[in-house]
Amino acid sequence: MNTIEKAKKELAAKGFLDIPVDASLDLVEEIKKLKKEKNAVLLAHYYQTKDIQDIADYLGDSLYLAQQAARTKADVIVFAGVHFMAETAKIINPGKKVLLPDLLAGCSLAESCPADRFANFKSQHPDAVVVSYINTSAAIKALTDIVCTSSNAKKVIDSIPADKQIIFAPDRNLGNYLQLQTGRDMLIWDGACTVHEAFSLEKIESLMENYPAAKLIAHPESRPVLISRSDFVGSTSALLRYVQEDDAKEYIVATEVGILHEMERRAPSKKFIPAPAETSECACSECEYMKRNTMEKLYLCLKYELPEIVVDEEIARRALVPIERMLKLS
Ligand code: 13P
Ligand code: SF4
């Protein structure tokens, strides 16, 4: 059996390559070398570990990364993010190789919306326009009229004629927030992100007592009780812009803790305090899916060009339509 065949066997069993990596290797240099050799582009989300963020060609939120995937001339796209992000990149680029360092890097929101149940729900409202958050499977996107991310969701909802009923899936918190923002009454799927639902208001309030000048900023996937207490609510990129432009010096940040790295880089004189979760050792909230990617897996993924994202052709063809509508509107 040759090395690639061995790697494929390993992958089928685990979802990622678990081949020992020589500890003396300089992974940053090796990854850079492999990217060049293979004409690969590395896209990374703000929730990735610091080392991965630092080596990315493009670092951003889910909209920016989808836009970069649509623009790239590279032959290979390596997605340091979660499955729905890499899958979206593959749908946009059916002819390119799209790699995800760990196939088990899923998403609790995407999992909260199974396609069979959603198709049934949709069939009960045949005249409704379906807006789906990008955090969904390709099968859900194939049942969707227009995709959105947290940074363009309001714009997407506002683009739909006022007399149209809207189905919004799968995040109930983002859906509720959008209802308040747009004044639209939507049919909202009952899904949620475990990372953003985990924040403890009680612990945040006690942090606020310790840091009375700190502003509370939150991602709209957070619960309404937290959103209503927040000084600012926005997508990861909007939160980053806010902390750069705002004149406060301290912030309690209610989103996945990985974003603090970019906040500290953009606003080095400010203090960023992660919002604590109900139960967690890090006094923050970490996305276990995002954190499945490591430098070792990234290196192996580039070296063996595995695991590769594969999407059913018919589903991909249908899912591309609402993704392109979103990209055009953004
Ligand atoms: P954005 O990157 O769109 O802010 O979304 C955050 C998120 O939870 C990605 O999974
Ligand atoms: Fe999914 Fe939440 Fe993780 Fe984002 S933070 S990838 S929405 S589980």
Side-chain angles (χ1 to χ4, degrees):
M1 208 187 293
N2 69 27
T3 348
I4 294 283
E5 275 164 5
K6 259 196 213 152
K8 280 190 173 163
K9 207 168 160 214
E10 166 99 3
L11 182 68
K14 290 205 156 150
F16 58 92
L17 297 177
D18 198 14
I19 299 164
V21 175
D22 179 352
S24 68
L25 281 182
D26 179 342
L27 289 181
V28 173
E29 280 317 306
E30 292 299 322
I31 290 169
K32 281 186 183 162
K33 226 168 28 191
L34 285 164
K35 276 199 299 158
K36 206 165 166 196
E37 228 173 84
K38 300 187 179 217
N39 189 25
V41 67
L42 175 58
L43 309 181
H45 191 269
Y46 295 124
Y47 296 166
Q48 292 293 289
T49 53
K50 295 177 188 181
D51 43 8
I52 295 181
Q53 291 190 41
D54 289 345
I55 199 178
D57 296 303
Y58 297 97
L59 172 68
D61 71 353
S62 35
L63 176 64
Y64 177 78
L65 296 176
Q67 287 168 329
Q68 292 309 322
R71 244 168 243 159
T72 188
K73 297 266 184 290
D75 297 315
V76 178
I77 298 173
V78 185
F79 221 118
V82 291
H83 193 274
F84 74 80
M85 296 177 171
E87 193 174 55
T88 304
K90 179 67 185 176
I91 294 166
I92 298 171
N93 295 285
K96 290 190 198 293
K97 190 173 263 189
V98 178
L99 306 172
L100 180 66
D102 186 329
L103 282 182
L104 303 182
C107 168
S108 58
L109 252 179
E111 281 162 22
S112 68
C113 194
D116 52 345
R117 275 182 49 214
F118 187 69
N120 184 26
F121 175 66
K122 182 185 161 169
S123 70
Q124 290 162 34
H125 308 281
D127 298 327
V129 175
V130 178
V131 180
S132 293
Y133 198 25
I134 197 163
N135 304 38
T136 49
S137 65
I140 295 293
K141 291 186 178 82
L143 295 165
T144 293
D145 293 301
I146 182 159
V147 169
C148 72
T149 76
S150 53
S151 58
N152 62 16
K154 183 176 180 304
K155 203 171 178 181
V156 167
I157 301 292
D158 286 341
S159 75
I160 298 166
D163 60 339
K164 281 279 183 194
Q165 175 67 269
I166 297 174
I167 290 176
F168 184 82
D171 188 4
R172 60 173 176 249
N173 295 325
L174 178 60
N176 283 329
Y177 178 68
L178 287 168
Q179 289 200 135
L180 294 175
Q181 292 288 297
T182 62
R184 298 292 287 263
D185 186 18
M186 307 191 296
L187 295 163
I188 301 171
W189 187 261
D190 194 21
C193 159
T194 49
V195 178
H196 289 88
E197 286 233 313
F199 291 119
S200 155
L201 190 62
E202 212 183 319
K203 288 186 182 173
I204 291 174
E205 278 171 344
S206 97
L207 256 187
M208 285 162 108
E209 278 169 26
N210 294 341
Y211 296 94
K215 284 189 174 170
L216 174 62
I217 58 172
H219 194 280
E221 287 170 20
S222 309
R223 287 176 294 142
V225 65
L226 204 144
I227 300 263
S228 62
R229 292 292 308 268
S230 297
D231 296 289
F232 181 76
V233 177
S235 65
T236 48
S237 54
L239 294 176
L240 281 160
R241 266 196 311 276
Y242 182 75
V243 300
Q244 274 182 287
E245 289 164 10
D246 181 61
D247 49 19
K249 296 274 173 281
E250 294 172 339
Y251 300 87
I252 297 169
V253 184
T255 191
E256 210 273 352
V257 66
I259 202 171
L260 265 67
H261 182 52
E262 182 64 7
M263 284 183 170
E264 282 159 359
R265 197 189 65 78
R266 291 199 199 180
S269 64
K270 298 191 175 189
K271 184 172 180 64
F272 300 103
I273 307 137
E278 212 65 68
T279 50
S280 130
E281 279 170 27
C282 68
C284 68
S285 195
E286 265 197 320
C287 176
E288 59 176 304
Y289 305 100
M290 287 276 182
K291 292 328 197 241
R292 287 194 69 89
N293 296 326
T294 60
M295 287 292 273
E296 284 77 13
K297 286 182 190 168
L298 189 53
Y299 163 72
L300 290 169
C301 162
L302 265 159
K303 185 172 157 82
Y304 292 99
E305 300 185 23
L306 288 169
E308 188 181 354
I309 298 288
V310 182
V311 190
D312 173 86
E313 257 180 54
E314 175 54 19
I315 288 184
R317 193 186 57 74
R318 283 166 35 217
L320 180 61
V321 178
I323 296 172
E324 280 187 331
R325 282 194 189 121
M326 172 191 79
L327 290 173
K328 211 165 157 198
L329 198 80
S330 307

